[in-house]
Amino acid sequence: MDELRKIERKKKRFAVRLKNSKKIICTDIPGLNIVLCNVGQATGFKKNDLLLMLEKITPTPIVLKFIAEKGDSHCFIVFSRIEEAKIFYDTYDGTLSGNSDVPLYMCFVESVPNNEIICSSSNPEGLTLIEGFITEDEEKQLYQLFDWIDESNLKNRQVKHYGYEFRYGSNDVDLNQPLDEKIPQECEIIWKRLEDYGINFSIPDQLTVNKYSPGQGIPSHVDKHSPFGDTILSLSLNSSVVMDWKHHSKAYVPVVVPSRSLLVMQAEARYDWQHGIQPRTWDPIIEVRKIDNGLVKVITSETKARGTRISLTFRKTRQGPCNCCYETLCDSRVTADLDEVASHLEDLHVHQVYEQIAGHFSSTRHKPWPKVVEFLQDIPPGSIVLDLGAGNGKNILNRNDLLQVACEYSAGLLSECRSVTRACCVRADVLHAPLCDCRADAVLCVAVIHHFSTYARRRQAIASIARLLRPGGRALVTVWAKDQSKSNYLCKDKVNTESDTYKTAGIHLPVHQNRTQFKHNDVLVPWKLRKVKENKLENESSQTLLRYYHVFEEHELEELCRNQGVVVEKSFYEEGNWCVICQKI
């Protein structure tokens, strides 16, 4: 009797937590939906465990859904009939589950999470997936050939190149710098076997080998059009993976790529879609179902563990501009007009905004960021420190033994900086800082690069930092993260739809709602301007201005630093920011 009362108390406490966290109501009225309160993915409970429980009931109840969300120690079951749900409840509520000595307890619930994502069952046009392309013996031979360990490689995966080095960030190769290592002869079986499938493929001269440990991935990208031919091959070894395909029309298709399969990318899949792999130790199980007389893919809450995976990506290099008919992602269609639009956008929604909010902005920034103090504390006396995008100078340290130079484009913020620091203050754009090359011992670039509106301009900012550093000099670079889930500034109860858009500089951008999770990478963030009078901030908001931000995905800042003459020493997430410490080589 004491055990029953104890379970009832646990149920009541769980019901309160479930209502607060997921707005799901527990009920005493039997229904189709049941929540198992103390078992789920976090406790190792899987669908197979549920099936074993169902087999012991005659006749076996029919389950429509099993929902076990990542990180949760509870899970949900949806039965086809209320009578079956009640039999299951009466059979197992309060009983021992599996090998555990803890009683299982459950509740009926009015609803369950709808966390299944429905998308088209059709793969991108031009994407061919050939399963079982190589035999198990051939897979073992190729895996042994390309398996290696290199601790100095990329943080999010290990990479090796043959023929030419694939340059991440620009997604191309330098044809003037061929590598000594050519594509191994063991790979010839691949393009020879393709003839049996009626696919013509010129013998490739570039191979990129990616080795992914569980938890590693690659950002969404498209291989640059002009340096490579119209067909790209990718062979998977040792483990399956879910590859995400995204179109600029916002279409999304997850593709399960099994081990020993070959992906052939042509036409739209080659030129007009981006593909990537999310960094996680598991992949969702994707089912093909028939809904409304049509087949669709459904991303379920069930998962499958990843193993170590090696992918072999083969390309044929080419020269000259691309003449494809897919303009959106084509580098040959990108002209100086794009940089002009980007410059105009930044002038409207970065430079002009900061001139207007300089006083208000400065009144909200007082202390140096702790990570800046930590970064600079070991810098020896006599060092030259550049703060690129110094704002009001809050990160300038009170150290007379350093030569600190504050570079800021906003005249208003530079005036604020001059009034509170002893630093040498210079009005300068990060992209074109008029300072001597290779002189700085340390560079700060805090919350600046996310204001540049194209990849090329963000890349140029990193190149500018590398130019100013002396060999061995170090830089701390921070940007806003798209993922704000671990930030103290996020309001957990506030949902951001980013449904409002604003047309500016000839383009439409979503307007972000402050203190919410970001949904897009390129957004306009409101600043509610308040007047500052006699060093006091007035309460009344007089105007709302929109600042442009490109918020960064995980590993995106690291990739931006590749092949820029710096090596990333450390990468970390801090209060809604992605940060890197890099050293000039």
Side-chain angles (χ1 to χ4, degrees):
M1 187 65 69
D2 289 341
E3 188 64 36
L4 289 176
R5 280 198 290 266
K6 185 177 180 181
I7 289 177
E8 287 303 317
R9 287 197 298 269
K10 287 184 177 180
K11 285 185 181 183
K12 290 179 180 179
R13 289 196 293 268
F14 175 82
V16 173
R17 293 198 303 272
L18 190 64
K19 181 180 178 181
N20 291 336
S21 63
K22 298 187 177 180
K23 312 303 180 188
I24 292 176
I25 308 298
C26 293
T27 176
D28 294 329
I29 302 173
L32 296 175
N33 311 317
I34 287 178
V35 59
L36 306 186
C37 306
N38 58 338
V39 293
Q41 274 202 15
T43 68
F45 189 81
K46 300 178 181 177
K47 188 173 183 178
N48 285 341
D49 299 316
L50 172 63
L51 295 177
L52 291 174
M53 296 170 68
L54 293 171
E55 288 176 359
K56 297 176 182 178
I57 300 175
T58 305
T60 302
I62 298 175
V63 169
L64 300 180
K65 286 184 181 180
F66 170 68
I67 302 171
E69 296 182 304
K70 195 72 177 177
D72 283 349
S73 55
H74 59 269
C75 58
F76 300 88
I77 310 169
V78 179
F79 291 86
S80 63
R81 297 172 58 220
I82 293 177
E83 294 81 358
E84 294 176 338
K86 191 172 185 309
I87 291 172
F88 181 85
Y89 182 94
D90 293 339
T91 302
Y92 287 111
D93 184 42
T95 65
L96 299 180
S97 59
N99 298 323
S100 174
D101 57 356
V102 178
L104 175 67
Y105 61 99
M106 61 187 76
C107 299
F108 289 101
V109 287
E110 294 180 356
S111 60
V112 297
N114 182 19
N115 64 342
E116 292 184 337
I117 301 174
I118 299 176
C119 46
S120 170
S121 63
S122 301
N123 288 344
E125 181 184 344
L127 182 66
T128 303
L129 176 64
I130 307 174
E131 297 189 31
F133 184 78
I134 58 174
T135 66
E136 292 183 2
D137 287 339
E138 290 169 339
E139 179 185 39
K140 288 179 182 177
Q141 292 171 7
L142 289 172
Y143 190 85
Q144 290 174 358
L145 176 65
F146 292 108
D147 188 21
W148 83 100
I149 297 177
D150 183 358
E151 297 298 338
S152 65
N153 227 282
L154 292 182
K155 179 181 177 181
N156 58 330
R157 64 192 184 281
Q158 295 184 50
V159 176
K160 201 169 185 178
H161 305 282
Y162 296 83
Y164 296 92
E165 180 182 0
F166 186 85
R167 300 187 297 188
Y168 295 95
S170 56
N171 289 332
D172 61 7
V173 297
D174 185 351
L175 294 177
N176 295 319
Q177 294 186 343
L179 301 174
D180 294 333
E181 287 189 275
K182 305 305 178 185
I183 298 175
Q185 292 182 348
E186 289 86 344
C187 297
E188 291 181 2
I189 59 170
I190 297 171
W191 35 96
K192 288 182 178 179
R193 192 167 295 170
L194 269 179
E195 297 176 1
D196 298 335
Y197 294 87
I199 298 175
N200 294 320
F201 180 60
S202 301
I203 297 176
D205 55 1
Q206 196 279 329
L207 165 61
T208 297
V209 183
N210 284 289
K211 181 179 178 182
Y212 301 89
S213 297
Q216 297 180 329
I218 187 171
S220 188
H221 66 283
V222 64
D223 287 354
K224 201 169 185 178
H225 289 198
S226 59
F228 306 113
D230 59 5
T231 301
I232 293 177
L233 307 178
S234 180
L235 182 68
S236 291
L237 306 176
N238 197 61
S239 177
S240 65
V241 74
V242 171
M243 185 176 290
D244 295 325
W245 288 78
K246 299 176 182 178
H247 193 257
H248 46 81
S249 66
K250 298 191 177 176
Y252 163 66
V253 180
V255 176
V256 180
V257 183
S259 61
R260 299 193 294 114
S261 67
L262 183 73
L263 270 180
V264 183
M265 292 169 258
Q266 297 175 312
E268 278 193 11
R270 158 70 179 99
Y271 292 115
D272 212 32
W273 287 71
Q274 293 183 310
H275 59 280
I277 298 171
Q278 293 191 40
R280 56 194 178 199
T281 59
W282 51 274
D283 276 315
I285 294 177
I286 297 175
E287 300 176 356
V288 178
R289 298 182 192 169
K290 192 171 185 179
I291 299 178
D292 295 334
N293 298 320
L295 291 177
V296 297
K297 286 183 179 177
V298 177
I299 303 176
T300 71
S301 60
E302 297 178 66
T303 61
K304 178 181 178 181
R306 283 184 188 171
T308 299
R309 173 177 174 267
I310 288 180
S311 69
L312 311 180
T313 302
F314 300 93
R315 307 175 181 91
K316 175 67 176 177
T317 61
R318 62 180 299 279
Q319 291 182 313
C322 174
N323 57 3
C324 74
C325 60
Y326 306 99
E327 298 185 4
T328 302
L329 300 177
C330 185
D331 60 286
S332 295
R333 314 298 169 94
V334 177
T335 65
D337 292 342
L338 178 61
D339 197 63
E340 184 177 339
V341 170
S343 180
H344 183 46
L345 173 66
E346 292 161 20
D347 182 56
L348 288 175
H349 293 284
V350 180
H351 302 314
Q352 291 187 28
V353 171
Y354 276 105
E355 290 296 1
Q356 294 180 71
I357 70 173
H360 182 195
F361 182 87
S362 181
S363 69
T364 64
R365 270 66 177 171
H366 305 289
K367 296 181 180 179
W369 192 39
K371 290 297 179 182
V372 171
V373 178
E374 181 182 318
F375 173 72
L376 295 178
Q377 64 184 0
D378 295 327
I379 292 183
S383 296
I384 299 175
V385 179
L386 304 183
D387 189 348
L388 302 181
N392 68 345
K394 73 180 180 68
N395 287 322
I396 299 295
L397 300 186
N398 187 23
R399 282 183 60 177
N400 295 327
D401 59 347
L402 298 177
L403 174 57
Q404 299 182 83
V405 180
C407 298
E408 174 55 51
Y409 189 81
S410 164
L413 286 175
L414 196 65
S415 177
E416 298 281 344
C417 185
R418 286 195 180 102
S419 67
V420 297
T421 73
R422 298 180 181 178
C424 175
C425 296
V426 178
R427 190 170 187 223
D429 182 356
V430 173
L431 300 185
H432 309 99
L435 302 171
C436 295
D437 296 356
C438 303
R439 297 291 179 88
D441 298 284
V443 169
L444 300 175
C445 191
V446 176
V448 175
I449 292 179
H450 51 222
H451 286 311
F452 292 110
S453 56
T454 66
Y455 170 82
R457 292 167 73 82
R458 295 188 287 272
R459 183 88 162 164
Q460 185 181 345
I462 296 292
S464 183
I465 292 170
R467 172 180 67 83
L468 296 171
L469 280 171
R470 64 166 177 78
R474 299 164 75 236
L476 170 63
V477 182
T478 80
V479 294
W480 278 15
K482 184 179 180 184
D483 177 16
Q484 293 287 312
S485 59
K486 300 175 184 177
S487 170
N488 289 329
Y489 299 110
L490 182 71
C491 181
K492 307 296 183 183
D493 298 327
K494 192 174 181 181
V495 178
N496 177 22
T497 59
E498 283 184 11
S499 58
D500 294 334
T501 61
Y502 183 84
K503 186 175 181 180
T504 181
I507 58 176
H508 288 271
L509 287 171
V511 178
H512 180 69
Q513 297 180 40
N514 287 321
R515 298 180 66 79
T516 63
Q517 182 69 280
F518 286 104
K519 295 188 69 177
H520 299 85
N521 291 99
D522 296 279
V523 294
L524 296 173
V525 179
W527 179 279
K528 293 184 178 180
L529 180 62
R530 291 178 178 168
K531 296 179 180 179
V532 179
K533 189 175 182 179
E534 296 179 356
N535 296 323
K536 291 185 179 181
L537 192 63
E538 295 185 354
N539 291 327
E540 186 176 352
S541 178
S542 58
Q543 189 179 3
T544 297
L545 303 171
L546 298 175
R547 293 177 295 166
Y548 169 82
Y549 282 85
H550 172 84
V551 289
F552 279 62
E553 302 280 2
E554 185 176 8
H555 306 304
E556 186 180 349
L557 182 56
E558 298 164 55
E559 295 284 0
L560 207 63
C561 295
R562 269 187 66 81
N563 299 319
Q564 291 296 314
V566 294
V567 60
V568 175
E569 292 182 351
K570 183 180 179 181
S571 175
F572 57 96
Y573 179 96
E574 180 76 17
E575 277 300 335
N577 296 272
W578 289 115
C579 317
V580 297
I581 295 176
C582 52
Q583 184 177 42
K584 184 168 181 177
I585 53 179

